[in-house]
Amino acid sequence: MLKNKVVLITGAGSGIGRAVALVCAREGASLLLSDIDEAGTEATAALVREVGNEALVVLADVGVATDCQMLVERCCSHFGRLDVACNNAGISGPSLNTADYPVDDWNHVIQVNLSGVFYGMKYQIEAMLRTGGGAIVNVASILGAVGFATAPAYAAAKHGVVGLTHTAALEYSAQGVRVNAVGPGFIRTPMIEALDNDEATHAMLVAAHPMGRLGEAEEVAELVVWLASARASFVTGAYYPVDGGYLAR
Ligand code: NAP
């Protein structure tokens, strides 16, 4: 599905980002893998190379605009272009109600989870327009569509990612850049391990998903890669839940 395509993935050192990298590799892509976690990203790169694909590791903080610009420049200088970007890096922030939420934590979550996606798209779109188009898949969340008590910054940022996705799709789809977002439910990754750490919480999280289980990173990756591929050629400006039915209630 992605044969000879160049794909840039942020947050590629863990969880969903690593799974996206591996499905992209299986589908024939060359990869620029980025994260702030060097060991995790090198581990992902080693797995990609085992499949026989090229993986370039470039460390970057998505919350810094110049890092996001540098990522796209490195991608274009190394591979000659950028076809697909998956803006996936994200953090959960503390679990606290709105009135108790520290301002510094609010700013940090918005910086990484929302501004990071804006910075990414700003430079990715510019590069894609130079080569006639491309596809962007932003990793939002079910909390891009509904609230969740004790996650004010995270939910606000993810709603913002969905709004940015709609807006950029309106602006650039006629020029060949498709922009979509996915909304994972609770997925078994290191991010969730910190929250899903006792039996009562686990039972509550499982019960929130009509399928009666949490999701796997690979299940999100399959949707991301389909949206990024030419098989989704008429899909843009869309927000696709991948949530075991969480949002259907
Ligand atoms: P994860 O396992 O924690 O992976 C996220 C990766 O992003 C980590 O390697 C992390 O590095 C990196 N990262 C953190 N801050 C960064 C920054 N400023 N710049 C670049 N990289 C950064 O989490 P995940 O579950 O795979 O989450 C991936 C995305 O899916 C996130 O956007 C998340 O909000 C979204 N999502 C996850 C779930 C879920 O249930 N897991 C549900 C809905 C949406 P460190 O480990 O060093 O922090």
Side-chain angles (χ1 to χ4, degrees):
M1 276 200 280
L2 294 176
K3 200 160 172 44
N4 301 322
K5 297 291 182 189
V6 176
V7 180
L8 184 164
I9 304 166
T10 65
S14 178
I16 293 170
R18 174 174 294 167
V20 170
L22 293 177
V23 177
C24 285
R26 184 194 76 198
E27 297 297 331
S30 298
L31 298 169
L32 186 149
L33 304 174
S34 185
D35 203 293
I36 48 172
D37 171 7
E38 183 168 15
T41 317
E42 288 295 354
T44 304
L47 292 169
V48 166
R49 290 175 192 132
E50 268 176 30
V51 183
N53 293 56
E54 185 172 0
L56 174 69
V57 170
V58 184
L59 299 181
D61 180 342
V62 298
V64 176
T66 48
D67 276 25
C68 295
Q69 184 174 24
M70 174 274 293
L71 271 186
V72 172
E73 283 169 6
R74 284 291 306 277
C75 187
C76 293
S77 64
H78 185 86
F79 293 107
R81 62 183 200 281
L82 171 64
D83 299 308
V84 169
C86 177
N87 293 307
N88 162 77
I91 56 174
S92 53
S95 295
L96 291 166
N97 286 338
T98 302
D100 301 321
Y101 212 85
V103 169
D104 285 353
D105 287 309
W106 165 271
N107 286 333
H108 188 215
V109 171
I110 296 294
Q111 187 72 17
V112 175
N113 290 8
L114 178 55
S115 299
V117 175
F118 164 66
Y119 300 150
M121 287 207 295
K122 177 172 168 57
Y123 300 108
Q124 293 154 8
I125 289 168
E126 204 176 70
M128 288 173 179
L129 290 175
R130 283 200 300 269
T131 53
I136 294 175
V137 183
N138 295 322
V139 179
S141 165
I142 45 174
L143 304 190
V146 294
F148 191 86
T150 75
Y154 187 90
K158 295 298 187 179
H159 276 71
V161 168
V162 175
L164 261 174
T165 300
H166 289 151
T167 300
L170 293 176
E171 293 166 341
Y172 296 104
S173 292
Q175 294 166 76
V177 180
R178 294 184 301 106
V179 189
N180 292 291
V182 298
F186 285 84
I187 309 297
R188 290 197 315 127
T189 70
M191 178 182 277
I192 288 312
E193 276 160 24
L195 176 74
D196 183 19
N197 57 6
D198 65 74
E199 258 179 48
T201 308
H202 183 72
M204 182 271 286
L205 291 178
V206 164
H209 299 75
M211 280 192 177
R213 65 174 176 86
L214 304 193
E216 301 296 332
E218 294 70 24
E219 295 178 301
V220 179
E222 291 289 348
L223 175 60
V224 169
V225 171
W226 179 76
L227 284 169
S229 78
R231 293 201 184 169
S233 52
F234 200 51
V235 182
T236 195
Y239 162 76
Y240 273 79
V242 46
D243 67 353
Y246 187 107
L247 291 176
R249 292 191 205 278

